[in-house]
Amino acid sequence: DSEGNAWFSRYSADMESKTDVQTGEVIDMKLPARAKTDLFSDDERKVFAMQGENGFSWGAPEGDGPRRPGGDKHGDTVWVPGWWSHDLLKIDIHSRKMTRIPMPRKDGGPYMAQVDKDHMVWVNFQNSGTFAKFDPKTEQWTEYMVPSLGFETHQIGVADHGGPTQIALADERNSKIAKVQFRTADELRALRAEAQQAASR
């Protein structure tokens, strides 16, 4: 996070943990409970409760399955993708208040969050061939398709120093790296002018 503390997810326990670099203390935070559904009976829920936090490929009913968190280096938040819940969790690094934000798609496999210098939150989806940007100010999502079939991304990186924001996606299935670079306002204006000139010929 912006104070140099390390955050990590307890995937099958629905917990997020913070390590204070000054004191060495590890602070465990249980994620807020989601609304109970009628998909499971009480007896079935007892079976899930008996597994403890050892399950890796399955989760408890209404679980989150938090994956790789990303800290805002210029703010006071950490963002955590919920693998099972399809929520993005916002955590205030001081108060530890947690807020749920629905993802733009279900079953996409939200895996990792990264935050750029403008506080935009970038999330890769392992199963959908897409990645997305969440704007905390407008609370709006923008989803982008990856121009390649069968992408299975496990990491997302943000490079935003000395130029426009660039996104890197690591594709485990196909052993590829995708680089996404967004055009600047000047580049977009030049392209628009070029297109208008070509249309008027």
Side-chain angles (χ1 to χ4, degrees), residues 48-142:
F48 281 104
M50 287 188 292
Q51 80 167 351
E53 62 169 281
N54 297 318
F56 183 76
S57 298
W58 65 90
E62 294 87 43
D64 278 285
R67 298 312 294 242
R68 299 182 179 183
D72 187 341
K73 307 298 188 294
H74 308 281
D76 56 5
T77 53
V78 165
W79 301 85
V80 186
W83 177 260
W84 294 320
S85 64
H86 316 295
D87 286 339
L88 181 65
L89 289 130
K90 174 185 177 182
I91 305 177
D92 185 297
I93 64 173
H94 299 120
S95 68
R96 300 181 208 158
K97 177 185 176 183
M98 299 186 189
T99 306
R100 288 186 177 280
I101 299 153
M103 292 278 186
R105 68 167 54 243
K106 300 291 185 185
D107 300 319
Y111 199 80
M112 185 175 181
Q114 291 285 284
V115 187
D116 68 21
K117 62 185 177 183
D118 299 314
H119 311 290
M120 300 297 152
V121 185
W122 298 87
V123 178
N124 67 299
F125 294 96
Q126 186 177 344
N127 304 327
S128 63
T130 65
F131 66 101
K133 176 182 72 175
F134 178 73
D135 185 337
K137 291 181 181 178
T138 64
E139 298 188 345
Q140 296 296 311
W141 287 94
T142 305

Side-chain angles (χ1 to χ4, degrees), residues 145-156:
M145 298 291 296
V146 179
S148 183
L149 294 176
F151 241 61
E152 183 183 333
T153 58
H154 279 243
Q155 289 85 22
I156 185 169

